[in-house]
Amino acid sequence: MTSTASPTTPPQLPIDGARLIERLSALASFGGSVKSGVARESLTPTELAARHWLAAHYATRPGYLVGVDAAANLHIRRLGQYDELPFVMTGSHIDTQPLGGWLDGAFGVMAGLEVFDALDDAGLRTRRSLQVVAWTNEEGSRFSPGLMGSQAYVQPQALAGYLPVCDARGESFGQARDTALHAFDQAADAGGWSCFAPEPAQPVHAYVEAHIEQGPVLEREGLALGIVEAIQGVRWYQVVVPGRCAHAGTTPLVDRDDAQAKAIALAHALLSHAAEAAQAGDDALRVTIGRWACQPDAINTIADRVSFTVDLRHPDAHVRDAFDRLLRRLAPDGSQITLLQDKTTTAFDPALVTLLGEAAERRGLAARRMVSGAFHDAMPLAGHAPTAMLFAPSLRGVSHHPEEHTHSADLVACTQVLADGLLALAEPMR
Ligand SMILES: [Zn+2]
């Protein structure tokens, strides 16, 4: 944050919780419902209809502009008194997995828009402009990888690499993007919308993203809110263990080179390592073996090749390095270990984390600092602007599933802290 303004009485902005929940439920009707889950993959006709429904609420209201950028990210801007100052940004994504829940990223977008309505209710102007963004293709289920929109915003040259990426039916991201831009122009013309052309990589004063936790920690600890100070690092490995094919009935154990037996022993050792770390008090180490394949995959033949993946996550690079050494030491002779992805931990802005923590305290909310286990649009943004996140508790930690849910009171509390934080950052006019 570049601001030096620090009001003696931090501002508080009352939000309308009932309106927030009602509009979140209405958004869920684009592609599903609160109860049955939502199918609203990126840049599908359903998602475009939802975007236009959102934009239409603000596009003809005095003091607002709407626009899409080259990655089809939807921006809704509430003009501040000094629009030339670096602006305050919030938002998330409204695309879902093929069948996801009603909250995931939708909550962060609707929370930001509720802040706009609360500001309007209060008749408050801010010095800085505020911008809510619905980022394109966060999920990565239709076009891989995820986080395309937010990544292309902070690093515009990345877009060229995304345009040729095709979905399962052969439509490219570039085609879907063009359709989205065209549909937006049509909706804007028909509705008489006030538009602007959002440029990528503009100076952003601060980015705050509200999201559901998608894990069980807050609910288990009986807390209302998470103040997120980092996104943990992740490494993806592909491990291939070799063996030699032979007959299951005729080959004595001593004569076997069994790829399955060796791979299972290795996988077991890696999972045990994580279990031992948890027993010793480090519950942040996550080791997941998600894919497993063997050759020739026959019931009565000893396998000559097993390949499996490892998803490793921990906030501390030393712990990730130690796991790497363990994997390479235990891997049987002749194994191939390929590092598919290596993302370091993303640390959020300490001053912004403190500001949000204090806002939660003033609202009397039970909150804790935490590290995000999943990626979010805030990850690329953190390399561009002071960034932090707020988490609302997820019931039983369920997400990317129709049963994804959060108590209304918790959604409202999280939005309230977002509102107080954004108002402080955008600086209310006295
Ligand atoms: Zn999300």
Side-chain angles (χ1 to χ4, degrees), residues 20-21 27 65 71 73 80 110 124 148-149 156 168 171 198 216 241 257 301 313 322 364 379 411:
L20 169 74
I21 302 302
L27 178 58
L65 299 173
N73 297 308
M110 299 315 279
L124 262 177
M148 274 187 186
E171 184 176 0
V241 178
D257 183 12
T301 301
R313 301 186 193 219
M379 194 164 71
L411 295 172

Side-chain angles (χ1 to χ4, degrees), residues 39-404:
R40 194 172 56 221
E41 282 193 283
S42 190
L43 302 184
T44 52
T46 309
E47 202 226 9
L48 298 186
R51 288 159 167 249
H52 299 162
W53 175 77
L54 290 180
H57 278 88
Y58 301 90
T60 57
R61 208 185 276 189
Y64 287 88
L65 299 173
V66 298
V68 279
D69 63 26
N73 297 308
L74 172 66
H75 301 254
I76 302 176
R77 188 174 180 95
R78 187 181 194 270
L79 295 168
Q81 184 74 25
Y82 303 99
D83 191 43
E84 66 282 5
L85 290 175
F87 55 95
V88 176
M89 195 182 237
T90 186
S92 191
H93 60 99
I94 65 164
D95 67 322
T96 69
Q97 291 284 315
L99 180 60
W102 69 297
L103 292 171
D104 196 328
F107 167 57
V109 174
M110 299 315 279
L113 293 175
E114 172 53 34
V115 175
F116 281 0
D117 285 79
L119 284 165
D120 291 352
D121 288 349
L124 262 177
R125 284 208 86 177
T126 53
R127 287 184 73 239
R128 297 176 187 278
S129 294
L130 276 153
Q131 201 149 301
V132 172
V133 188
W135 300 109
T136 298
N137 190 41
E138 190 272 350
E139 294 291 354
S141 56
R142 183 175 176 203
F143 301 105
S144 181
L147 304 176
M148 274 187 186
S150 45
Q151 186 66 46
Y153 182 80
V154 304
Q155 193 194 0
Q157 65 275 24
L159 182 60
Y162 299 150
L163 296 177
V165 172
C166 285
D167 68 7
R169 289 173 317 170
E171 184 176 0
S172 71
F173 178 74
Q175 290 169 311
R177 187 276 310 255
D178 291 347
T179 303
L181 298 186
H182 181 65
F184 179 87
D185 286 345
Q186 280 188 319
D189 282 348
W193 293 357
S194 299
C195 292
F196 76 123
E199 292 290 323
Q202 292 294 296
V204 173
H205 180 60
Y207 177 74
V208 184
E209 180 172 350
H211 205 283
I212 55 167
E213 182 197 347
Q214 302 180 292
V217 174
L218 291 172
E219 184 188 41
R220 193 171 58 218
E221 296 184 3
L223 300 174
L225 188 70
I227 315 287
V228 187
E229 51 191 358
I231 294 181
Q232 71 182 347
V234 58
R235 286 182 192 173
W236 284 357
Y237 297 94
Q238 172 95 38
V239 181
V240 177
V241 178
R244 194 176 62 247
C245 278
H247 194 288
T250 60
T251 317
L253 285 186
V254 292
D255 294 314
R256 296 181 180 209
D257 183 12
D258 185 343
Q260 284 280 35
K262 292 191 291 184
I264 289 167
L266 174 58
H268 182 74
L270 299 176
L271 294 170
S272 298
H273 173 72
E276 283 159 20
Q279 267 173 4
D282 181 3
D283 66 351
L285 180 61
R286 309 276 151 75
V287 176
T288 304
I289 294 172
R291 280 192 192 139
W292 190 279
C294 77
Q295 271 177 204
D297 198 19
I299 194 165
N300 56 353
T301 301
I302 294 163
D304 68 349
R305 184 181 194 271
V306 171
S307 91
F308 64 93
T309 57
V310 183
D311 175 311
L312 164 72
R313 301 186 193 219
H314 196 281
D316 185 344
H318 294 104
V319 175
R320 299 196 298 275
D321 289 344
F323 180 91
D324 192 283
R325 288 193 295 274
L326 180 77
L327 170 61
R328 291 174 197 284
R329 181 161 57 79
L330 296 181
D333 286 348
S335 298
Q336 291 167 22
I337 298 169
T338 309
L339 187 60
L340 300 174
Q341 167 164 259
D342 184 4
K343 286 208 190 293
T344 57
T345 296
T346 303
F348 289 154
D349 184 72
L352 194 46
V353 169
T354 299
L355 182 150
L356 295 172
E358 288 171 355
E361 215 168 285
R362 276 193 300 278
R363 290 284 178 181
L365 294 168
R368 64 165 279 179
R369 302 276 183 102
M370 62 193 301
V371 172
S372 172
F375 293 168
H376 295 287
D377 292 304
M379 194 164 71
L381 265 293
H384 179 72
T387 293
M389 291 187 75
L390 295 168
F391 275 173
S394 293
L395 290 187
R396 301 188 315 285
V398 175
S399 186
H400 288 178
H401 188 278
E403 284 174 21
E404 176 183 280

